[in-house]
Amino acid sequence: MAPLSWDLQLLNVCAALLLLLAFAMLSQRRIVTLVDLLALQGAVLCVATALVAWRTGKSHLYLSALLTLGLKVLFLPWLLRRLIRRLDVYWDTEPMANIGGTMLLGLLIVIFAFGLAQPISALANTSTKSTIGIAVAVTLLAFLTMITRKKAMSQIVGFLSMENGLFFAAMSATYGMPMVVELGVALDVLVAMLVLGVFFFQIRERFESLDLHHFESLKEEK
Amino acid sequence: MNVIALLTQGLEIIVAVAAAPLFLGWINQCRAWLQNRSAPSVLQPYRTIQKLFNKDAVIAANSSALFRVAPYIVFGAMTLAAAIIPSMGTRLPFTAAADAIALVGLLATARVFMALAAMDSGTAFGTLGARREMMVGFLAEPALLMVIFVASLISATTSLPAISEHLTTEAIGLYPSLAFTAVAFTMVLLAENGRIPIDNPATHLELTMIHEAMLLEYSARHLALMEWAAALKLFNYACIGFALFLPWGIAAGAAAPNALLLAIPVLAVKLVLAGSGLALIETVSAKLRVFRAPEFLATAFLFAVLGLLVHLLLGA
Amino acid sequence: MMGMSSLSTCLALLAGWIVIGIAGLARPMSVRFAGRALFLAGALCGAGLALVSLWALNAPPEQAVLPIGLPDLPFHLRLDALSAVFLLLLGVTSVGTSVFGAGYFRAGEGTAPGLLCLQYHVFLASMGFVLIANDAYAFMFAWEIMALASYFLVTTQHRIAEIRRAGFLYLLIAHLGALGILLCFGVLQGGHWEMTFDAMRALRLGPQWATCAFLLAFFGFGAKAGLVPLHVWLPEAHPAAPSPVSALMSAVMLKMALYGILRVSFDLIGAPLWWWGLIALGVGLFSALYGVVFAAAQTDMKRLLAYSSIENIGIACAGLGLALVFAGLGMASLAALAVIAMLYHCLNHALMKSLLFLGTGAVLHATGQRNLGKLGGLMRYMPWTAWLTLIGALAIASLPPLNGFVSEWLLLQAFLFTDQIPRTFINMLLPLGAAVVALSAALAAYVMVKFYGVIFLGVPREGTLVRAHDCGRLERFGLAWLAAGCVLLGLLPVQVIARLNAAAILLVGTGLGEHGQRWWLLAPLTQGRASYGPIAFFVGVLSIVLLTALVVRLFYHGRVRFSLPWDCGFGQLDARMQDSAEGFGQPVRHVFQPFFRIERELPSAFDNAPKYRVIVTDRVWYALYEPLVGLVRRAANGVAWLQQGRVTTYLLYGFVTLLVLLGVVLA
């Protein structure tokens, strides 16, 4: 096997780091650390996007790398941290019972994602196609993170991490979505964040907590 | 089998046996510096061993012959392990007889004899140490094997010299899978050698101790051999790490004697760096409760498996 | 063997066993005759069988027809390489157990010696017949005799209710399994009603029927092998039997089941489908982990060994599964590697497990204790037993340079190729199987440290143990024979694999090559890929150990003082402060909590006489068997309604049945 060029190798490292961060999020109990990890994931994603942009010479990818940097590395984590401070949940931790079991499930999901991505990789004609599996895995792991959490804040972080995974998948498979779509998605995420921020205050007003199991009392009485 | 190969083989064993306490001394010195203590001399482990050899052995009256044989077996196993691991050259005649899997088996043999010897004195501490040591063992071994698996898959062999040779002669590449497994390996190294966060090598008589609890009944030359073997084990683990993840500078293939001469300072530099790194890790981390050890080693296993999967996906 | 075929010699030796067994009835109460002389004669037969099968390994298959059996189905016999491997296993192991048995059986323990002699030798002979049977009828006949003989051996101490219950459970599951095997043969004959294996070999079944046959065989033989979840009988039945019989059951009888799966899936069905292997692999790995985790939690030494047997059978089954996967995908040389790993493991386990069971037998005789909590420190009172058992314990913990390591090494090498399987998902999932194998092996080391440390090391936990005496000369020979086997199989893998190759060629069409292999260096794969030289390894360790000892002796004085172990100033150190068996198993219970159903009895802080008790039981029993028992009981109650107690009602049943039958016949 011929050795890969250095930029592809670096891209592979980035992909592996994304996967690692996804696992770190899955196992992290503290909410503040979760936000830090999200920022780190955004940074890795930004580097990966810039690398692909450099390799393919597509200028709009530089733009989306910048967008990633601004939105996912700087603005959203800042917003989240501010929210955490304002909501006074800085020391909150997730009551997670069985981290080992969750990890094992995560491993199986990775295998599933890798297997799933093999035929897609065969179809794609980009030079980054081998990382599609990792992108799918990151998305699914973020989903799993959301499922295993009870606090509203960490669910948001899981949601954003999922978006990162999808973005990376699009980049690996087709060198990114068209710019319009990307901008639209970014705007969506931003608005969703702002709306959710307002929501959190409302939720806390109502239940005096951000624990989502309080929602269970909202169902119709029989 | 030529003269140089035999020479390399002999040199590796002698260097390992002779330098292992020095490596330990260096780590202790670094730790002391990092913790703002006045550091003991790097030669302190030698002095301790020398002192122990000259003492009268006190042996528990109810122990059997196994208790007295075990230090020799553990020391022998660790010395043989040093013969298998390519620390300076890759042309080692003996490595044909034992590959990486056999190395894991050899380390397990040493562990089992140590645990049996600890149970032989029939004290609460001995059995406690044996039980915990075996627990760390069964948690660490799968992770270690997965680490070796990844390296073996990359180089299509389980022979350690061949793995190092493959990795040195390949065009220098970034292997994300190897990065993952390197993290996993470091965690296994810490656990298997009784370092913080799993065990604290600096204390006696804590209820959380593992390695020291097993050696509590040993004294004099037996203890000296056990301590030497422990130092040798740490040295060996460091050399496994170099062979798998930092093989550069090793005398690959049928190298000339001067390559071998160059390999010695390279090894020394690697050891100095690794020792200070270890001391740093140990200084910044806190000791875990014994029952957090499974989580720690499960994480190591996870890293190793992720490395494996990433290798299978990316081929790197 | 000049002038005499291997098959007929083998048959004569098996008949010899039966004759010896019957001769036991001549003086049934005499321990000297039935318990000693005849067992020694049986050991000679076993040695002969081992020699013949060694000869037959590299000879072409032989066939014969015996003029007994059903009117148009006489017994067909066949001795090929696969049978020979397992006959070798039977012969070698039986020498050890028989010689040990000759010194072991005493008068006044349940069944009379003569009867025991009959049951024991019929059990041996029936296992031999299972291996050379070449038609379904002869196979089932021998199989059932084997089950019955072992049932009677299990219930030797039939006055104890628990043992009767264990025997019943064993018989029940054995028959469920036999039903599966019978149905499997029913599928394999494919509607031609030709019950010889030759006919089945010639017949090619469609994939559906082949799958059906495989699944039935896997269920039927799996019940006998003790694969999870059909394992529940094993930890009950094996400890109940006298130790030489426990040894035979664990070491040899379980392998008969693996032989059956091999014979049906590779030989009779002919072209295995690759995904069958996944089933075997999954079940095998799960059994391995399950068995060893439970072994770590046991407090009875024979139950511990029984659970460890589940582990080892699981590992062998995983090897078989891997072989099926490779064979089904046409990767023949890798299939050969996996098959050889599996056969090697079978041989290894036969020797080491019988060695350990015999060791527990010697301990049991010397102390009368099976409970690990009441043993300890026996190494000083029973040095022979202790040192020989140590070899078995180290071997089963798969430590080099003993035999357990060789098969583990081969299996792991086979696992290293699973990433080349041309199926997505599978090529990523299977390499993880190696981690399970490694975990099981490491846990096995844990279990063996517990087993050996608690029985032989430390301080005696009961005062009476100091009167324990070492075993007799015959028993020592039995132990030493098996220990020597462990060492030889560990040191000479090249020679062993050269013999096993014939069986691999028979099963998957190719054997292992020799790539730069020398007589002391095992190198079964492509050039430079992997090699292992246990002799060099052993000599290496030994010479370093001796050299170190010499240097230490030369340069330092060898003064030794003896004193009491350090008690931390407490002053009242006693034997109860050592880890109990429960205590030693605690980390495993903690880590693998979901496997167990644990009942704890904890003292409160204010108890004057605090009591602590923990009972660990099998979840499978409550999850699977209890509901099943309830179901059967309810069904039985339903049927019981038919029993009205009036004779006229019973006559009515008969009358109605007659009418229905006549109606069926006329229609």
Side-chain angles (χ1 to χ4, degrees):
Chain A
M1 192 176 63
L4 297 168
S5 61
W6 69 269
D7 47 345
L8 269 185
Q9 284 186 11
L10 213 56
L11 194 70
N12 280 345
V13 173
C14 284
L17 272 179
L18 283 179
L19 187 62
L20 184 61
L21 286 169
F23 262 100
M25 283 173 149
L26 192 59
S27 65
Q28 187 50 247
R29 284 195 180 99
R30 273 196 67 193
I31 288 168
V32 184
T33 326
L34 218 50
V35 175
D36 294 344
L37 287 173
L38 181 74
L40 209 57
Q41 202 181 38
V44 175
L45 195 61
C46 169
V47 172
T49 316
L51 265 173
V52 176
W54 188 84
R55 186 181 167 79
T56 56
K58 296 190 187 223
S59 54
H60 80 267
L61 278 177
Y62 281 117
L63 210 59
S64 58
L66 269 181
L67 197 67
T68 310
L69 182 71
L71 195 65
K72 289 173 186 161
V73 184
L74 301 175
F75 182 65
L76 285 181
W78 172 78
L79 197 68
L80 284 170
R81 271 190 213 111
R82 209 174 79 106
L83 259 175
I84 286 171
R85 243 191 342 270
R86 295 269 300 275
L87 290 166
D88 201 22
V89 290
Y90 190 82
W91 293 108
D92 259 27
T93 54
E94 285 281 350
M96 285 173 62
N98 191 354
I99 291 192
T102 315
M103 289 295 179
L104 209 62
L105 196 63
L107 270 187
L108 290 181
I109 282 179
V110 171
I111 293 174
F112 177 74
F114 283 12
L116 207 65
Q118 270 175 358
I120 307 176
S121 304
L123 284 178
N125 50 5
T126 58
S127 55
T128 51
K129 61 190 178 184
S130 57
T131 52
I132 295 175
I134 290 188
V136 177
V138 169
T139 313
L140 293 180
L141 284 175
F143 213 143
L144 190 65
T145 313
M146 282 178 77
I147 293 170
T148 52
R149 300 304 150 123
K150 293 193 182 69
K151 303 268 186 256
M153 284 307 290
S154 27
Q155 296 231 324
I156 294 300
V157 175
F159 169 73
L160 291 173
S161 160
M162 206 159 104
E163 207 273 332
N164 282 349
L166 283 175
F167 181 84
F168 190 58
M171 199 176 66
S172 309
T174 61
Y175 293 139
M177 292 174 263
M179 203 57 214
V180 183
V181 180
E182 224 161 85
L183 281 174
V185 171
L187 197 67
D188 272 356
V189 170
L190 196 61
V191 171
M193 267 310 298
L194 294 174
V195 172
L196 279 169
V198 177
F199 247 63
F200 283 168
F201 285 101
Q202 293 296 324
I203 293 170
R204 202 178 53 151
E205 289 278 287
R206 177 78 180 72
F207 297 109
E208 298 187 334
S209 154
L210 283 174
D211 221 328
L212 292 185
H213 73 253
H214 292 296
F215 282 13
E216 286 161 20
S217 63
L218 292 180
K219 66 179 179 216
E220 207 167 313
E221 295 294 328
K222 281 189 193 120
Chain B
M1 219 193 287
N2 57 19
V3 184
I4 294 182
L6 277 177
L7 208 68
T8 320
Q9 183 75 77
L11 190 71
E12 288 224 334
I13 298 177
I14 291 167
V15 165
V17 172
L22 189 66
F23 182 52
L24 194 64
W26 167 244
I27 294 177
N28 287 340
Q29 196 163 51
C30 286
R31 264 171 37 133
W33 285 336
L34 286 168
Q35 295 164 359
N36 268 339
R37 292 185 280 127
S38 53
S41 153
V42 278
L43 300 177
Q44 190 56 43
Y46 292 104
R47 296 186 190 137
T48 312
I49 288 172
Q50 167 70 14
K51 178 189 76 181
L52 285 173
F53 267 122
N54 281 316
K55 288 201 165 202
D56 278 16
V58 182
I59 286 176
N62 53 308
S63 57
S64 63
L66 189 71
F67 185 77
R68 296 169 70 173
V69 179
Y72 295 95
I73 294 179
V74 173
F75 184 79
M78 287 306 158
T79 314
L80 191 75
I84 301 170
I85 304 161
S87 57
M88 286 173 283
T90 58
R91 273 301 141 89
L92 302 171
F94 193 76
T95 49
D99 62 351
I101 300 176
L103 177 68
V104 176
L106 187 63
L107 295 172
T109 310
R111 174 169 47 236
V112 165
F113 269 99
M114 216 162 169
L116 286 177
M119 292 188 80
D120 198 16
S121 52
T123 58
F125 270 123
T127 44
L128 173 144
R131 151 162 56 103
R132 288 179 178 168
E133 171 78 4
M134 293 312 289
M135 178 186 81
V136 171
F138 80 70
L139 291 166
E141 226 174 86
L144 182 59
L145 199 85
M146 277 291 121
V147 169
I148 286 172
F149 249 49
V150 175
S152 301
L153 284 176
I154 288 176
S155 43
T157 167
T158 58
S159 152
L160 271 173
I163 292 174
S164 312
E165 211 164 299
H166 179 89
L167 293 176
T168 34
T169 49
E170 278 289 278
I172 291 179
L174 288 165
Y175 285 98
S177 51
L178 278 184
F180 275 113
T181 45
V183 176
F185 179 79
T186 312
M187 295 171 83
V188 171
L189 181 150
L190 290 171
E192 283 270 40
N193 288 287
R195 317 299 296 183
I196 291 174
I198 297 300
D199 190 8
N200 190 348
T203 59
H204 270 296
L205 279 187
E206 259 190 77
L207 280 176
T208 54
M209 65 186 174
I210 302 176
H211 183 78
E212 293 296 327
M214 288 197 294
L215 301 189
L216 215 52
E217 279 306 313
Y218 275 114
S219 58
R221 56 180 181 278
H222 302 121
L223 183 60
L225 281 175
M226 279 294 199
E227 296 286 0
W228 203 341
L232 202 49
K233 185 178 182 186
L234 187 60
F235 186 91
N236 283 339
Y237 262 90
C239 288
I240 299 174
F242 301 149
L244 294 182
F245 309 113
L246 302 166
W248 301 286
I250 206 168
N258 51 2
L260 200 60
L261 284 180
L262 186 70
I264 296 175
V266 171
L267 178 68
V269 170
K270 285 182 196 168
L271 282 172
V272 165
L273 291 178
S276 40
L278 264 181
L280 187 67
I281 293 177
E282 281 198 79
T283 308
V284 298
S285 49
K287 185 174 169 324
L288 294 173
R289 287 197 309 139
V290 171
F291 276 114
R292 293 294 294 281
E295 259 178 48
F296 181 80
L297 285 164
T299 314
F301 178 71
L302 180 85
F303 274 114
V305 171
L306 277 183
L308 179 76
L309 292 176
V310 167
H311 166 72
L312 291 178
L313 184 76
L314 301 178
Chain C
M1 309 316 132
M2 276 153 283
M4 216 174 160
S5 77
S6 325
L7 182 56
S8 50
T9 322
C10 171
L11 205 58
L13 288 166
L14 293 181
W17 265 337
I18 291 184
V19 170
I20 291 171
I22 293 172
L25 294 180
R27 293 171 61 192
M29 299 314 285
S30 157
V31 178
R32 275 189 86 163
F33 175 68
R36 185 150 307 157
L38 287 181
F39 270 82
L40 287 178
L44 278 183
C45 274
L49 194 64
L51 281 178
V52 175
S53 45
L54 210 54
W55 175 273
L57 262 173
N58 289 330
E62 280 181 52
Q63 301 220 10
V65 180
L66 276 193
I68 47 173
L70 291 183
D72 53 351
L73 187 62
F75 280 175
H76 291 70
L77 304 178
R78 177 185 159 102
L79 179 60
D80 57 16
L82 181 63
S83 315
V85 169
F86 284 88
L87 277 173
L88 178 68
L89 183 154
L90 170 67
V92 172
T93 315
S94 74
V95 173
T97 55
S98 293
V99 176
F100 185 90
Y104 182 80
F105 291 115
R106 316 274 154 92
E109 290 183 355
T111 311
L115 208 53
L116 200 66
C117 172
L118 174 70
Q119 292 161 0
Y120 179 89
H121 287 103
V122 167
F123 181 45
L124 284 176
S126 62
M127 290 195 282
F129 276 115
V130 164
L131 295 173
I132 55 172
N134 198 31
D135 68 77
Y137 177 66
F139 186 91
M140 287 311 295
F141 183 75
W143 187 262
E144 288 295 299
I145 297 282
M146 178 177 89
L148 282 178
S150 53
Y151 165 75
F152 285 117
L153 285 167
V154 166
T155 53
T156 302
Q157 312 257 352
H158 49 79
R159 285 182 224 294
I160 302 171
E162 257 175 54
I163 289 184
R164 284 201 301 276
R165 188 176 160 274
F168 174 72
L169 187 65
Y170 167 50
L171 202 62
L172 186 72
I173 295 188
H175 276 92
L176 269 180
L179 205 63
I181 301 169
L182 201 61
L183 288 175
C184 160
F185 286 136
V187 174
L188 281 175
Q189 51 82 22
H192 300 281
W193 297 105
E194 283 284 334
M195 282 310 197
T196 61
F197 285 176
D198 285 333
M200 293 177 188
R201 265 183 211 109
L203 195 69
R204 281 282 165 267
L205 293 172
Q208 284 91 8
W209 284 114
T211 303
C212 192
F214 172 78
L215 289 179
L216 282 168
F218 193 66
F219 170 81
F221 289 116
K224 195 67 161 187
L227 293 171
V228 178
L230 293 169
H231 66 288
V232 284
W233 63 273
L234 207 149
E236 307 294 328
H238 285 202
S243 290
V245 177
S246 314
L248 272 187
M249 286 178 77
S250 258
V252 188
M253 191 181 76
L254 300 184
K255 308 301 178 308
M256 297 298 123
L258 292 176
Y259 163 80
I261 302 179
L262 277 177
R263 179 65 83 191
V264 168
S265 50
F266 283 100
D267 191 24
L268 299 188
I269 296 178
L273 299 181
W274 71 276
W275 58 267
W276 300 349
L278 296 185
I279 299 175
L281 196 60
V283 171
L285 288 177
F286 186 69
S287 300
L289 196 57
Y290 197 90
V292 75
V293 163
F294 268 87
Q298 295 310 308
T299 54
D300 174 320
M301 60 180 176
K302 289 180 85 175
R303 276 179 80 94
L304 182 146
L305 291 183
Y307 271 112
S308 150
S309 289
I310 298 179
E311 180 227 341
N312 282 284
I313 289 293
I315 287 185
C317 183
L320 191 150
L322 210 51
L324 278 172
V325 171
F326 284 136
L329 293 169
M331 303 156 100
S333 57
L334 292 179
L337 177 64
V339 156
I340 283 187
M342 180 242 170
L343 291 175
Y344 211 126
H345 195 73
C346 286
L347 278 177
N348 288 342
H349 181 241
L351 291 174
M352 44 205 194
K353 191 46 69 64
S354 47
L355 175 56
L356 290 179
F357 261 122
L358 296 184
T360 60
V363 170
L364 193 59
H365 256 187
T367 65
Q369 282 297 349
R370 265 169 52 183
N371 188 343
L372 287 170
K374 298 191 170 167
L375 292 165
L378 289 177
M379 193 159 205
R380 272 174 300 150
Y381 311 112
M382 312 178 66
W384 277 90
T385 314
W387 285 104
L388 290 171
T389 309
L390 180 63
I391 294 179
L394 295 177
I396 211 163
S398 49
L399 299 176
L402 291 167
N403 58 350
F405 180 75
V406 181
S407 46
E408 198 207 337
W409 189 84
L410 288 168
L411 191 60
L412 287 175
Q413 292 292 352
F415 265 111
L416 259 172
F417 286 96
T418 47
D419 67 313
Q420 297 176 5
I421 291 171
R423 294 284 184 281
T424 47
F425 297 120
I426 305 303
N427 60 353
M428 297 199 176
L429 209 50
L430 287 197
L432 297 189
V436 181
V437 173
L439 181 60
S440 308
L443 276 167
Y446 186 99
V447 169
M448 280 305 130
V449 168
K450 166 178 169 168
F451 170 81
Y452 194 81
V454 173
I455 296 178
F456 292 108
L457 303 177
V459 186
R461 289 177 177 76
E462 293 277 305
T464 52
L465 294 184
V466 293
R467 290 199 296 275
H469 55 87
D470 210 344
C471 53
R473 215 168 281 148
L474 286 171
E475 285 153 298
R476 277 179 214 171
F477 178 84
L479 292 171
W481 169 269
L482 294 167
C486 287
V487 173
L488 284 181
L489 277 182
L491 290 182
L492 300 169
V494 177
Q495 288 69 16
V496 178
I497 288 176
R499 304 285 175 288
L500 293 181
N501 248 346
I505 291 170
L506 177 90
L507 291 173
V508 298
T510 172
L512 279 185
E514 298 178 7
H515 305 276
Q517 188 156 297
R518 267 156 265 163
W519 72 269
W520 57 273
L521 190 69
L522 175 65
L525 306 159
T526 46
Q527 190 75 45
R529 178 156 179 130
S531 57
Y532 171 56
I535 292 182
F537 191 93
F538 182 59
V539 171
V541 175
L542 199 66
S543 51
I544 294 176
V545 167
L546 291 179
L547 196 70
T548 317
L550 191 71
V551 169
V552 171
R553 183 43 60 90
L554 272 183
F555 288 95
Y556 298 98
H557 64 84
R559 284 199 291 275
V560 168
R561 280 191 287 131
F562 289 92
S563 85
L564 291 175
W566 190 49
D567 55 11
C568 310
F570 181 59
Q572 299 166 33
L573 206 61
D574 71 33
R576 290 196 54 205
M577 288 172 196
Q578 302 172 92
D579 266 15
S580 60
E582 290 94 344
F584 205 88
Q586 191 256 0
V588 173
R589 280 208 310 275
H590 186 93
V591 175
F592 294 94
Q593 214 154 22
F595 280 62
F596 301 108
R597 184 173 148 136
I598 302 177
E599 288 167 38
R600 279 201 184 85
E601 215 176 275
L602 294 175
S604 86
F606 305 105
D607 276 350
N608 283 328
K611 254 190 188 160
Y612 171 76
R613 208 154 59 110
V614 54
I615 300 169
V616 176
T617 41
D618 203 333
R619 262 180 200 282
V620 172
W621 181 261
Y622 298 98
L624 187 65
Y625 286 85
E626 294 245 296
L628 216 60
V629 169
L631 212 66
V632 170
R633 187 160 291 161
R634 247 170 293 152
N637 281 338
V639 175
W641 172 82
L642 288 173
Q643 192 184 12
Q644 300 282 358
R646 277 203 304 273
V647 179
T648 43
T649 322
Y650 296 149
L651 286 175
L652 185 67
Y653 293 154
F655 184 61
V656 171
T657 315
L658 187 66
L659 283 184
V660 170
L661 281 179
L662 282 175
V664 170
V665 170
L666 291 178

